Amino acid sequence: MKILKNCGKILLLIVMILLVILLLVWLFLKFYPSMGKTPDKEMQESFAQITDLFYDGQFHNENEFTVMTGETQKTSDRVYPKDTIPVVKNTDIQRGEIGSLTVTWYGHSSMLVQLGDKNIFIDPVLSERSSPVGFAGPKRFSEIALDLEEVPDIDVVFISHDHFDHLDYKTITTIDARVQHYVLPLGVDSYLASWGIDESKLHPLFWWESIELDGVTYTLVPSQHYAGRNPLKPNVALWSGVHFTDGNHSVYYTGDGGYYDVFTRVYEHFGEVDLMLADSGQYDEGWATTHMNPNESVQAAKDAHAKWFIPIHWGAFVLANHAWDEPPRIATQAAEQLGVNIATPKIGEAVDYEQIDMFNEHWWEEVE
């Protein structure tokens, strides 16, 4: 009997510990500032009025979709570089001139596009970690090329979806005073509003919807992906790419997503695009429909009739098992085979579109 009583006490203690852990997790997901507030029931009802692709409390892709398609591939022994990656540090960024186009890649999917005299910041993540907390989660392996205090005045921030490697609480709340507008997919505005961002600055859109801001037209483009800042509430907010133009130049950022016919439809909808910034890293055979591998991203650029293509979504955080430099190595080979113009700037290097053909150095080959 004594043994049974002791076992009962131990079991009760284990149950209590588990309940406390579950409570702490719930409190974290519900109230920790960087998590943000997911769209509420009223907002979800409005989504269902906008699109048939929102049902069962979730957004859905245009095609049948599952995150996991098989077993993950073997982890490379070169996931992280041994050497320091060359980075061009940015300070005192000046506005561009009307008629010009300059893009600066800050690693992963963070980019400053200077379209004419407009500063457009894409998926700005300028923190050391891709995580809701500063002490855990994927840590950046390349130097931050743009410090938060050096971010210039921004006309538009575009956020593709709510994952931590694309929507960063610290970055957004720090630079917000310098931001005029935010263009984002439906539901992502809920997070920013909960962080105190002025709701008049938030412009949530559905796929193929457009908005003109200060002479630049932004159109959200479908992507094949998923969302879920809170793992208990998946796909309550939308994901997307974006096409934007000022009439002089056009830029297409794919956002995260797998390869499908959307890229052909982008060409049919907009015609040729001057510059395509395409998801080309953090892919895996085990989730083949959620991210493009480099061969697919080059094919996507060809489908979209992009005049120039820059592979992104690599060079900062390790979120997959491939070698850190596999994306540019494969992409440059595929681009040569398919006749696609590819530029491969260093992190922090400002690319003047008029001289984009000069940015073809295989700098990663000098990094161990």
Side-chain angles (χ1 to χ4, degrees), residues 146-221:
L146 177 63
D147 295 331
L148 285 169
E149 59 269 20
E150 295 290 346
V151 174
D153 289 341
I154 301 296
D155 295 279
V156 168
V157 164
F158 172 73
I159 299 167
S160 62
H161 62 300
D162 66 9
H163 288 161
F164 293 102
D165 56 324
H166 295 261
L167 175 57
D168 181 58
Y169 170 76
K170 179 181 177 182
T171 300
I172 294 298
T173 55
T174 301
I175 71 172
D176 175 61
R178 285 163 271 170
V179 177
Q180 293 295 314
H181 300 281
Y182 296 84
V183 174
L184 22 69
L186 293 175
V188 178
D189 54 314
S190 179
Y191 300 107
L192 275 67
S194 71
W195 295 339
I197 308 301
D198 185 343
E199 293 189 42
S200 68
K201 297 163 65 170
L202 304 177
H203 306 285
L205 302 173
F206 186 60
W207 294 334
W208 302 116
E209 286 189 324
S210 300
I211 186 171
E212 182 179 336
L213 297 169
D214 300 324
V216 178
T217 300
Y218 303 83
T219 304
L220 259 63
V221 176

Side-chain angles (χ1 to χ4, degrees), residues 246-261:
D246 64 351
N248 294 307
H249 291 99
S250 58
V251 179
Y252 170 36
Y253 165 50
T254 66
D256 281 7
Y259 177 80
Y260 72 121
D261 70 351

Side-chain angles (χ1 to χ4, degrees), residues 9-20:
K9 290 179 180 180
I10 293 172
L11 181 61
L12 179 61
L13 179 61
I14 292 173
V15 170
M16 291 178 65
I17 291 173
L18 289 175
L19 288 174
V20 169

Side-chain angles (χ1 to χ4, degrees), residues 39 41 45 61 85 91 93 127 133 137 151 227 266 294 346 355 360:
K41 291 295 183 181
E45 289 173 1
N61 284 291
I85 291 179
T91 59
I93 297 174
S127 296
V133 297
V151 174
V266 166
K346 299 184 182 73
Q355 299 178 324
N360 56 12

Side-chain angles (χ1 to χ4, degrees), residues 54-97:
F54 188 90
Y55 55 90
D56 295 336
Q58 298 185 28
F59 282 103
H60 294 75
N61 284 291
E62 296 181 302
N63 300 325
E64 288 295 323
F65 175 83
T66 179
V67 174
M68 297 304 297
T69 57
E71 294 184 7
T72 56
Q73 62 196 54
K74 183 180 178 182
T75 303
S76 168
D77 59 1
R78 298 183 63 254
V79 167
Y80 292 95
K82 295 179 181 178
D83 298 337
T84 301
I85 291 179
V87 166
V88 178
K89 200 74 174 177
N90 284 199
T91 59
D92 192 27
I93 297 174
Q94 301 298 308
R95 283 190 177 272
E97 298 180 355

